[in-house]
Amino acid sequence: MFRSHVLICGGTGCHASGSDGVMSALSEEINKNGLEKEVGVVKTGCFGLCALGPIMVVYPEGSFYSAIKESDIPEIVSEHLLKGRVVERLLYRETVSADGIQSLNHTAFYKKQKRVALRNCGVINPENIDEYIGADGYQALGKVLTEMKPEQVIKTVMDSGLRGRGGGGFPTGRKWDLARKLIPDADQKYVCCNADEGDPGAFMDRSVLEGDPHVVIEAMAIAGYAIGATQGYIYIRAEYPIAVKRLRIAINQARDYGLLGKDIFNSGFDFDVDIRLGAGAFVCGEETALMVSIEGNRGEPRPRPPFPAEKGLFGKPTVLNNVETYANIPQIILKGAEWFASMGTEKSKGTKVFALGGKINNTGLVEVPMGTTLREVVYEIGGGIPKGKAFKAAQTGGPSGGCISAANIDIPIDYDNLISIGSMMGSGGLIVMDEDNCMVDMAKFFLEFTVDESCGKCTPCRVGTKRLYEMLEKITSGNGEMEDLDKIKTLCEYIKNNSLCGLGQTAPNPVLSMLHNFKDEYVQHVKDKKCAAKVCAGLLQYSILEDKCIGCTACARACPAGAISGKVKEKHVIDRTKCVKCGACVEKCKFGAIIRA
Amino acid sequence: MKTLAELQAIKEKMQGQVNLRDDDKSVRVVVGMATCGIAAGARPVLQAFSDLVQANNLKDVSVTQTGCIGLCQYEPIVEITRPGEEKVTYINMDAGKAKEVVERHLMRGVVMADYTINSSGMAK
């Protein structure tokens, strides 16, 4: 048995910052010191603090090392693992205080978090089913199959108040109940998992699958038992290679143990899970398009009703839930509906995982009880905004959601509150914007994404989003007119009301909510032809301050358009007809002589 | 696997190990692992404590290392702190004594007086 465990994050974030190299250096160094029988090295899922990767935690002390390099390994092994002296200079600085080293759970980043869906991420080895079982894994499936009737399972999920974590927020228990009852004599039913996480900046589902793949498999088997299905499919994008690999390993291990397959726990219940890879189309995250894609056809949505609970995959009753929704199920079964319902707000129970990104210090993954305010997430857990800049807004729900402005920073985040302020929960991407972000440009950014990802089946979405994008383009290039703002609103409503699926119906949301919350900024772009955040190149003018220019020629040499002229040691000037507004001259000028306004 | 008992067996086998990753425990076993300690044979002592705590699934006990406390001639030294009790310092430890300490002191609360620093006569 090992006396010490070294946990290294093997999630995508830390993988990208070099955790593989650190891990092999560590194993080599441990062998060199003859510690291979005393110290175990475990590759885990995401710890959440992706900004400070690669991350490594040494137990039993619980020392949290961040931003580890391969060259740090010999010191950690010889000092900490061999002699028990923690290498303080490499610790996450928040864990080091005047009173000594404190536990990770007491740092600002973790203390307000409540980990339910992420409870095993960064704790167990996702490629070892025994570790999952050691952390209560498959106990819920055992309980369901030996002690509970399907109706009781559905009632427990219903009573817990769990709502779909993919963004829509439909009550999960009700979904299961419909799939069980609508077509009572169905010869086949299916359980599907939506792991086609497509919002820019969102990586919650990927992290769950990378850190705790068995929880999804266990929950799908429970759902299968509840609705009477024997086959499950996980639809995941091929762009998530680490998650796909760990899922494959997990499914094979579960089959070897008989936790998937025939007659599980001698209960007579059969269930198996297969993976279907998606090619990364955003529309395939929409439930009907997802199922069409699993069937092997081109991923396009179809009108609802009929809903999947009645006519889903291969025309059979189907339950489709998101990864994070499933990740809550086993604990609801084990700890009870009351336990889950005790967290959160009146109509939004439990916790929510957010992927924090944009202008924020602690980029990463956080899980908080529903009803936590945006201020707590941004300033306490997220560590605030870099360089002391002012908070301007946060985008939730990605290209389908809206923004929360500074005025609403103190409202508790839950499904209904977000909708009431014109945003939506979405799957959990949370992109923070500061004073340097232009809200017209941001709306344009999200719309560019939906224009690109529109499947083209229905006209309102295919043509409407494109025309909408062109109107925003017109404004950011300085040609906007006041009537364009009204036209934008009308077109947004039209697209919302007439599109076939969720992609089109929600595509105008970022534009509408930014126009609503930041109308002044739009008017400024149109009337004054100014972009206060200095983002929209078409509205900026570059000029050289005569009294500061010393004639060093650096700017003229940097200008790709040859727009700057002037002799050595004489004042330079910019020819605005030639200027392409790239900003290269500003970066080169050492005297602050070039201004953009 | 066909029964819950089999699942339970794997769970119990793994629990002691996964439990190592919880740093919120009230009983502390600290083994001196400076150069003097290692030279006197502290590593097998540390390993013995760690193995026995996990094998007996003592969930509230953490086994960690520390540096030199200045009594090099008495190494390997092990300090045990239980909540509300005075710290007990064992000296000249080996793996066999470690087993006795785990079984008597950690599991039954009986201090092994013969192995403590008081027995050396130094404290008098």
Side-chain angles (χ1 to χ4, degrees):
Chain A
M1 265 179 271
F2 297 119
R3 64 168 165 84
S4 173
H5 289 179
V6 182
L7 274 54
I8 295 187
C9 175
T12 293
C14 287
H15 184 84
S17 55
S19 66
D20 266 13
V22 169
M23 183 140 172
S24 45
L26 179 69
S27 301
E28 198 179 306
E29 197 66 23
I30 284 177
N31 289 343
K32 214 192 280 177
N33 284 279
L35 290 169
E36 64 275 10
K37 291 211 174 91
E38 298 175 30
V39 180
V41 179
V42 183
K43 183 150 84 170
T44 71
C46 186
F47 283 86
L49 210 53
C50 308
L52 294 173
I55 279 164
M56 181 168 133
V57 183
V58 182
Y59 285 103
E61 295 88 352
S63 311
F64 190 92
Y65 292 111
S66 61
I68 294 297
K69 295 191 290 290
E70 283 176 44
S71 55
D72 297 326
I73 293 300
E75 186 179 354
I76 292 178
V77 172
S78 68
E79 284 297 299
H80 189 159
L81 299 181
L82 197 59
K83 297 178 190 155
R85 285 197 290 250
V86 175
V87 185
E88 212 166 297
R89 69 172 181 92
L90 296 171
L91 290 178
Y92 172 39
R93 63 184 195 292
E94 291 277 316
T95 62
V96 185
S97 69
D99 314 328
I101 296 160
Q102 57 169 343
S103 165
L104 190 61
N105 295 331
H106 296 130
T107 60
F109 182 72
Y110 286 101
K111 87 180 158 205
K112 285 226 164 173
Q113 293 199 47
K114 171 89 190 154
R115 298 199 148 204
V116 177
L118 297 177
R119 82 186 170 104
N120 286 331
C121 289
V123 179
I124 65 166
N125 177 352
E127 297 182 7
N128 181 349
I129 189 172
D130 285 353
E131 293 214 351
Y132 179 65
I133 293 173
D136 291 335
Y138 291 104
Q139 297 281 333
L141 180 63
K143 179 176 173 185
V144 161
L145 294 185
T146 55
E147 294 171 25
M148 293 170 84
K149 290 201 172 75
E151 292 80 7
Q152 288 174 296
V153 177
I154 291 174
K155 186 168 185 317
T156 305
V157 175
M158 224 183 251
D159 291 347
S160 74
L162 176 66
R163 293 169 68 174
R165 297 292 192 248
F170 190 81
T172 306
R174 224 164 77 220
K175 203 182 238 185
W176 291 15
D177 193 43
L178 289 172
R180 176 165 183 81
K181 287 183 187 152
L182 271 182
I183 313 282
D185 53 351
D187 55 344
Q188 176 67 285
K189 292 181 185 178
Y190 294 102
V191 172
C192 293
C193 172
N194 186 346
D196 188 72
E197 189 172 44
D199 294 4
F203 50 92
M204 301 74 53
D205 297 344
R206 189 191 73 206
S207 301
V208 170
L209 290 169
E210 286 176 358
D212 197 11
H214 284 286
V215 75
V216 174
I217 297 170
E218 182 181 6
M220 287 177 74
I222 293 170
Y225 176 72
I227 70 161
T230 56
Q231 176 65 44
Y233 289 101
I234 300 175
Y235 187 82
I236 179 169
R237 47 182 53 214
E239 294 158 353
Y240 283 177
I242 299 178
V244 172
K245 179 183 148 217
R246 295 197 181 145
L247 261 179
R248 287 219 165 100
I249 293 171
I251 290 173
N252 286 333
Q253 289 175 340
R255 283 181 187 152
D256 285 348
Y257 269 15
L259 295 165
L260 285 177
K262 300 272 177 215
D263 194 20
I264 302 168
F265 289 122
N266 288 325
S267 63
F269 172 65
D270 306 338
F271 192 77
D272 206 355
V273 172
D274 280 307
I275 297 176
R276 289 290 177 271
L277 296 184
F282 185 56
V283 73
C284 288
E286 196 279 335
E287 61 179 10
T288 59
L290 183 151
M291 289 184 295
V292 169
S293 180
I294 292 181
E295 289 166 3
N297 299 311
R298 179 183 172 136
E300 283 182 340
R302 60 157 178 80
R304 297 175 304 179
F307 285 91
E310 191 182 339
K311 213 172 171 201
L313 188 60
F314 301 114
K316 307 291 182 190
T318 302
V319 151
L320 173 67
N321 286 129
N322 158 272
V323 170
E324 193 190 331
T325 314
Y326 282 127
N328 285 295
I329 297 285
Q331 286 180 87
I332 291 175
I333 300 291
L334 286 180
K335 296 185 181 172
E338 298 76 30
W339 164 79
F340 191 79
S342 70
M343 296 178 286
T345 61
E346 194 196 336
K347 286 187 180 159
S348 303
K349 301 300 186 189
T351 59
K352 180 77 193 86
V353 183
F354 289 101
L356 276 183
K359 306 284 182 66
I360 185 112
N361 279 319
N362 296 338
T363 305
L365 197 67
V366 307
E367 181 169 358
V368 290
M370 292 276 189
T372 304
T373 65
L374 184 61
R375 184 188 297 280
E376 290 170 290
V377 174
V378 171
Y379 284 100
E380 295 181 36
I381 298 169
I385 292 167
K387 296 176 193 155
K389 299 259 180 171
F391 172 87
K392 186 169 187 178
Q395 176 80 9
T396 59
S400 312
C403 66
I404 307 176
S405 67
N408 286 319
I409 195 168
D410 287 311
I411 70 155
I413 302 175
D414 69 9
Y415 290 100
D416 309 287
N417 279 342
L418 286 186
I419 287 180
S420 73
I421 58 168
S423 182
M424 70 184 262
M425 184 71 86
S427 57
L430 193 72
I431 300 169
V432 180
M433 293 169 267
D434 71 2
E435 52 194 294
D436 292 340
N437 287 104
C438 165
M439 301 315 271
V440 188
D441 184 66
M442 285 308 290
K444 208 174 79 175
F445 167 79
F446 285 114
L447 210 61
E448 187 181 359
F449 179 83
T450 33
V451 168
D452 221 34
E453 293 290 347
S454 170
C455 77
K457 186 169 178 174
C458 72
T459 316
C461 174
R462 182 186 67 241
V463 182
T465 54
K466 179 76 178 158
R467 293 289 96 84
L468 193 55
Y469 178 78
E470 287 165 358
M471 287 181 188
L472 291 172
E473 179 101 90
K474 188 178 165 197
I475 293 177
T476 57
S477 61
N479 302 314
E481 296 158 53
M482 279 310 281
E483 61 175 25
D484 288 333
L485 296 184
D486 294 326
K487 276 191 194 164
I488 285 177
K489 265 194 182 162
T490 315
L491 181 56
C492 281
E493 293 302 334
Y494 179 81
I495 297 172
K496 268 179 94 128
N497 295 334
N498 294 290
S499 292
L500 176 59
C501 81
L503 194 158
Q505 287 158 10
T506 60
N509 283 354
V511 184
L512 281 175
S513 90
M514 288 182 188
L515 189 56
H516 172 77
N517 284 305
F518 297 93
K519 178 127 197 212
D520 291 352
E521 211 170 311
Y522 280 74
V523 171
Q524 193 190 38
H525 277 73
V526 174
K527 274 197 175 157
D528 311 338
K529 312 286 178 208
K530 284 252 182 299
C531 174
K534 298 181 184 171
V535 171
C536 298
L539 299 175
L540 298 177
Q541 294 291 356
Y542 289 79
S543 50
I544 298 177
L545 296 171
E546 280 192 24
D547 52 335
K548 283 197 176 167
C549 178
I550 62 147
C552 71
T553 75
C555 57
R557 278 179 280 134
C559 180
I564 303 181
S565 55
K567 289 182 185 153
V568 180
K569 295 188 180 170
E570 284 177 22
K571 311 297 170 203
H572 283 50
V573 280
I574 298 175
D575 180 350
R576 285 188 182 165
T577 58
K578 285 189 189 164
C579 176
V580 293
K581 300 171 180 176
C582 66
C585 52
V586 180
E587 281 165 29
K588 279 283 180 259
C589 182
K590 289 178 186 152
F591 308 96
I594 304 177
I595 52 161
R596 105 181 98 190
Chain B
M1 180 186 321
K2 275 296 162 211
T3 62
L4 283 180
E6 288 169 81
L7 186 69
Q8 201 60 31
I10 299 176
K11 181 180 163 182
E12 272 158 24
K13 185 188 94 194
M14 292 306 294
Q15 234 168 10
Q17 295 177 38
V18 175
N19 190 37
L20 187 65
R21 297 172 207 163
D22 177 3
D23 56 356
D24 191 23
K25 295 176 183 142
S26 59
V27 181
R28 287 167 51 81
V29 177
V30 181
V31 182
M33 285 279 279
T35 307
C36 50
I38 294 173
R43 273 175 65 190
V45 173
L46 176 67
Q47 192 64 44
F49 269 106
S50 177
D51 285 352
L52 291 164
V53 164
Q54 290 177 53
N56 290 299
N57 207 1
L58 304 181
K59 288 187 190 162
D60 205 27
V61 180
S62 77
V63 181
T64 55
Q65 302 156 272
T66 189
C68 178
I69 60 169
L71 294 166
C72 307
Q73 72 271 36
Y74 294 114
E75 292 281 0
I77 294 176
V78 176
E79 296 176 335
I80 295 187
T81 323
R82 288 155 55 96
E85 291 175 20
E86 217 167 300
K87 181 168 78 187
V88 178
T89 305
Y90 291 107
I91 56 171
N92 296 327
M93 292 294 284
D94 58 37
K97 290 179 182 174
K99 186 163 186 287
E100 289 179 61
V101 169
V102 170
E103 285 167 1
R104 307 283 305 268
H105 189 171
L106 292 181
M107 294 170 74
R108 275 181 263 157
V110 183
V111 176
M112 301 292 292
D114 289 354
Y115 303 154
T116 64
I117 194 157
N118 296 336
S119 67
S120 71
M122 190 197 80
K124 282 168 195 164

